[in-house]
């Protein structure tokens, strides 16, 4: 059964970007191009991933073919059904960027599949700029309409963010629903968000995306004409307030967005309290960042046994997860898994998830996880660093980890080493290189630099415990008045321990 499903998917991917032979300026996928999702049977959840309770729920919704009774023309929103669509992908690229365009469309295919759709076909058109009215050229739009009709597709997905006018014109031409890359990513986020804060952030991003794309559907949302402009006897008695229902919807969206922003701000003190507690105890923090599906959650599970959901899909986990770990010399630090990044990440999501991305901005070290088996690792690295810069974390020390090292050859490792000479190769699935990652984290974490000589009374044992966790204890001795400790601590902790500094007179 699994083999037939995999074969079906491979056939669908091979059909992506296939079009009629000799179609001018239209390019089909190359068979050698790699998909964004790894197609391997050797990636099941293992004991290192902990309990994966969400996997069955995530896999519960599957498409049943042949049951639809929907009308062919679904450009009217009233007739659109909640379902898993058959989609056709479209993209535009300029001269000389075919490889990047193919990789981007492969990624869009993986995004559509993660959202629950089935990719049937797709086309890439070469032109200097997308058509301002219909995205594709007029002739290619007609060809796209024939492809959609022949395949029975439900939806067309564009590999960029469409203007509202482009989306409407393209829908009118192809007679099926048209969405863009941003809408697909927002849909995935809405499916995968689990926490209260994550759901609020996703809803806020969706409303920000929807607001400029509202449009009138039928007479109930159309403009009421005044004076004689209505024509056909629509003069006196037709003077009305202008926009009615669409303006009401805009007002409701603005009200809901304001409420969501207040909720997200209200959740901030709890996060800041936890973060302040870690800072007060001088506990260093590590943030795992990286491209989506690079293996961040798998690496966190391998290191800490966190039990975070692991799935071979894009944006499988969205909510930040913080776990505690210890260096080889006994220092305690926290390690946080964050939301993954993707090229052309919608700015609505960057703004909505800014509170989650604060974990990256406040970290002492960023572990940048890169998919070593991806066809464009350099593009992934650049994308992640751009987003890291947007949240003000560009100056934080960075450890690059090439994950999935078991899927690359020695020759490919040399190429990757050229990209990042100080990177560490690891495999969260096999455990290769994980010890090297932990050693590198221990070396790069801020080291206590202030030496203190303390005399701690016996009834203040929590101070000694804190020193063992967040400092480097050089020596310890039990004397009559208390515990004599020499340790290396951070400047912040040194100020908090001023009251326990050993007095030469008292110790004499």
């Amino acid at each position: 059964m699994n083999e037939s499903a995999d074969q079906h998917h491979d056939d669908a991917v091979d059909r992506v970007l296939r079009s009629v032979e000799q179609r001018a300026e239209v390019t089909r996928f190359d068979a050698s191009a790699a998909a964004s999702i790894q197609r391997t049977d050797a990636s099941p959840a293992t004991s290192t991933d902990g309990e994966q309770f969400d996997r069955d729920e995530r896999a519960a919704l599957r498409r049943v073919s042949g049951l639809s009774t929907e009308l062919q023309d679904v450009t009217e929103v009233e007739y659109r059904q909640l379902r898993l669509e058959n989609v056709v992908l479209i993209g535009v690229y300029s001269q000389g960027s075919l490889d990047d365009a193919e990789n981007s469309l492969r990624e869009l295919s993986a995004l559509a599949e993660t959202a629950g759709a089935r990719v049937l076909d797709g086309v890439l058109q070469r032109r200097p700029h997308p058509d301002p009215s219909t995205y594709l050229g007029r002739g290619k739009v007609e060809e796209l309409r024939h492809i959609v009709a022949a395949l029975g597709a439900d939806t067309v997905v564009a590999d960029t963010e469409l203007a509202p006018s482009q989306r409407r014109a393209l829908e009118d031409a192809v007679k099926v629903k048209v969405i863009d890359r941003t809408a697909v990513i927002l849909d995935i986020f809405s499916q995968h968000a689990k926490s209260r804060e994550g759901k609020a952030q996703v809803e806020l991003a969706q409303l920000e995306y929807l607001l400029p794309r509202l449009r009138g559907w039928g007479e109930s949302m159309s403009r009421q004409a005044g004076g004689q402009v209505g024509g056909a006897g629509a003069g006196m008695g037709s003077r009305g307030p202008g926009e009615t229902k669409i303006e009401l919807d805009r007002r409701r969206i603005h009200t809901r967005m304001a409420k969501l922003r207040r909720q997200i701000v209200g959740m901030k003190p709890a996060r800041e309290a936890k973060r302040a507690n870690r800072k007060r105890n001088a506990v260093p923090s590590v943030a795992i960042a990286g491209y989506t599906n690079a293996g961040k959650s798998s690496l966190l599970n391998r290191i800490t046994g966190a039990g975070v959901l692991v799935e071979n899909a894009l944006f499988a986990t969205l909510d930040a997860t913080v776990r505690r770990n210890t260096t080889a010399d006994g220092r305690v630090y926290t390690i946080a898994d964050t939301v993954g990044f993707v090229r052309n990440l919608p700015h609505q999501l960057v703004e909505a998830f800014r509170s989650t991305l604060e974990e990256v901005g406040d970290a002492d070290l960023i572990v940048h996880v890169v998919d070593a088996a991806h066809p464009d690792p350099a593009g992934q690295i650049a994308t992640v660093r751009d987003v890291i810069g947007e949240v003000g974390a560009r100056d934080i020390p960075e450890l690059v980890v090439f994950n999935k090292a078991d899927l690359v050859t020695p020759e490919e490792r040399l190429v990757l080493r050229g990209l990042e000479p100080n990177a560490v190769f690891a495999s969260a699935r096999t455990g290769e290189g994980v010890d090297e990652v932990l050693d590198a984290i221990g070396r790069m974490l801020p080291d206590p630099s202030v030496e203190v000589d303390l005399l701690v009374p016996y009834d203040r044992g929590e101070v000694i415990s804190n020193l063992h966790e967040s400092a480097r204890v050089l020596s310890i001795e039990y004397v009559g008045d208390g515990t004599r400790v020499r340790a290396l601590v951070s400047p912040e902790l040194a100020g908090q321990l001023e009251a326990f500094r050993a007095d030469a007179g008292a110790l004499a």
Side-chain angles (χ1 to χ4, degrees):
M1 188 69 178
N2 291 335
E3 292 180 0
S4 63
D6 291 342
Q7 181 63 38
H8 175 74
H9 175 274
D10 293 339
D11 292 341
V13 172
D14 289 338
R15 287 196 302 272
V16 171
L17 294 187
R18 178 171 40 199
S19 55
V20 179
E21 294 295 333
Q22 286 128 17
R23 182 178 292 152
E25 295 184 340
V26 176
T27 308
R28 68 182 294 271
F29 255 151
D30 208 357
S32 61
S36 291
I37 296 179
Q38 297 293 335
R39 295 292 164 194
T40 77
D41 295 330
S43 57
T46 63
S47 59
T48 61
D49 292 326
E51 298 292 343
Q52 300 289 298
F53 295 117
D54 292 335
R55 292 179 65 87
D56 292 339
E57 177 186 349
R58 186 73 61 83
L61 184 62
R62 287 294 182 262
R63 181 184 177 88
V64 180
S65 301
L67 300 182
S68 175
T69 60
E70 188 172 356
L71 299 179
Q72 292 297 317
D73 185 354
V74 292
T75 58
E76 297 297 325
V77 72
E78 291 86 354
Y79 302 130
R80 293 179 186 170
Q81 310 267 336
L82 177 61
R83 61 185 182 175
L84 304 180
E85 290 108 330
N86 291 320
V87 304
V88 174
L89 311 180
I90 59 174
V92 172
Y93 71 100
S94 58
Q95 183 70 30
S97 59
L98 177 59
D99 290 341
D100 290 340
E102 287 190 353
N103 282 331
S104 181
L105 213 64
R106 285 276 177 181
E107 186 172 89
L108 180 62
S109 173
L111 287 168
E113 186 180 274
T114 302
R118 184 173 65 174
V119 178
L120 300 179
D121 206 345
V123 292
L124 270 178
Q125 182 183 14
R126 187 184 72 230
R127 54 183 297 138
H129 304 285
D131 189 280
S133 59
T134 56
Y135 185 63
L136 297 177
R138 184 182 305 174
K140 295 303 175 285
V141 170
E142 185 66 20
E143 292 183 10
L144 176 63
R145 186 175 68 83
H146 290 305
I147 292 174
V148 168
L151 295 175
D154 309 309
T155 306
V156 172
V157 184
D159 190 25
T160 187
E161 185 168 328
L162 295 177
S165 59
Q166 288 177 317
R167 179 169 169 261
R168 176 64 182 267
L170 203 51
E171 275 191 347
D172 292 341
V174 300
K175 302 301 180 185
V176 296
K177 183 175 66 174
V178 177
I179 60 176
D180 55 23
R181 183 188 185 97
T182 301
V184 175
I185 295 176
L186 289 172
D187 186 82
I188 295 172
F189 272 56
S190 67
Q191 292 181 47
H192 293 180
K194 295 295 183 183
S195 69
R196 178 168 169 261
E197 183 175 14
K199 291 178 180 178
Q201 290 169 331
V202 172
E203 185 179 354
L204 177 60
Q206 288 177 314
L207 291 176
E208 289 179 344
Y209 174 77
L210 175 64
L211 187 60
R213 290 167 175 80
L214 285 178
R215 63 187 188 187
W217 292 98
E219 295 182 359
S220 64
M221 295 180 71
S222 59
R223 183 180 296 276
Q224 295 183 5
Q228 301 297 322
V229 297
M236 283 190 301
S238 67
R239 295 183 179 92
E243 295 284 357
T244 56
K245 192 171 185 300
I246 194 170
E247 284 298 326
L248 182 61
D249 284 348
R250 287 196 181 106
R251 188 157 48 252
R252 285 175 173 170
I253 288 176
H254 280 297
T255 302
R256 180 61 180 166
M257 288 170 60
K259 182 178 179 180
L260 289 170
R261 289 193 177 101
R262 288 195 300 270
Q263 288 179 356
I264 293 173
V265 170
M267 300 171 192
K268 188 174 183 179
R271 286 194 316 274
E272 290 183 340
K274 295 177 181 177
R275 197 174 295 126
N277 187 48
R278 295 197 297 265
K279 288 183 178 179
R280 184 171 61 253
N281 294 326
V283 178
S285 60
V286 177
I288 302 179
Y291 213 77
T292 180
N293 206 42
K296 300 182 297 300
S297 299
S298 298
L299 187 62
L300 179 67
N301 288 343
R302 171 65 73 168
I303 292 175
T304 67
V308 178
L309 173 70
V310 171
E311 189 174 15
N312 192 19
L314 306 186
F315 299 113
T317 51
L318 302 181
D319 302 316
T321 302
V322 182
R323 292 293 183 267
R324 166 178 165 151
N325 205 36
T326 309
T327 62
D329 57 4
R331 286 177 294 156
V332 174
Y333 63 93
T334 60
I335 183 166
D337 184 19
T338 60
V339 62
F341 308 138
V342 71
R343 69 178 75 194
N344 302 323
L345 186 68
H347 69 276
Q348 297 97 336
L349 284 175
V350 176
E351 289 301 318
F353 276 78
R354 187 167 294 277
S355 58
T356 300
L357 295 174
E358 287 176 0
E359 293 292 343
V360 177
D362 291 339
D364 295 297
L365 173 66
I366 296 175
V367 177
H368 181 173
V369 181
V370 184
D371 183 355
H374 193 271
D376 185 23
Q380 285 195 353
I381 294 173
T383 297
V384 173
R385 286 176 174 167
D386 286 344
V387 180
I388 288 175
E390 288 187 35
V391 297
R394 201 179 297 276
D395 297 331
I396 297 175
E398 177 190 52
L399 170 63
V400 177
V401 176
F402 284 112
N403 192 28
K404 306 181 185 179
D406 54 314
L407 301 180
V408 297
T409 63
E411 292 76 14
E412 292 170 333
R413 290 197 183 203
L414 289 176
V415 175
L416 295 172
R417 183 69 71 185
L419 288 176
E420 294 292 334
N422 298 321
V424 177
F425 287 86
S427 172
R429 184 173 69 86
T430 65
E432 173 194 351
V434 173
D435 290 339
E436 296 179 32
V437 173
L438 292 174
D439 290 341
I441 291 175
R443 291 194 307 270
M444 297 181 70
L445 281 177
D447 205 15
S449 57
V450 179
E451 184 173 348
V452 293
D453 190 0
L454 308 173
L455 180 62
V456 182
Y458 286 120
D459 61 351
R460 298 299 303 274
E462 75 279 2
V463 176
I464 302 298
S465 177
N466 187 27
L467 286 172
H468 281 292
E469 288 187 352
S470 57
R472 181 175 298 178
V473 176
L474 302 178
S475 67
I476 188 167
E477 181 184 359
Y478 300 99
V479 296
D481 296 332
T483 306
R484 178 79 178 269
V485 183
R486 288 180 56 250
L488 290 173
V489 300
S490 64
E492 295 81 4
L493 186 56
Q496 300 171 19
L497 298 173
E498 189 68 31
F500 300 104
R501 285 190 176 274
D503 187 341
L507 294 172

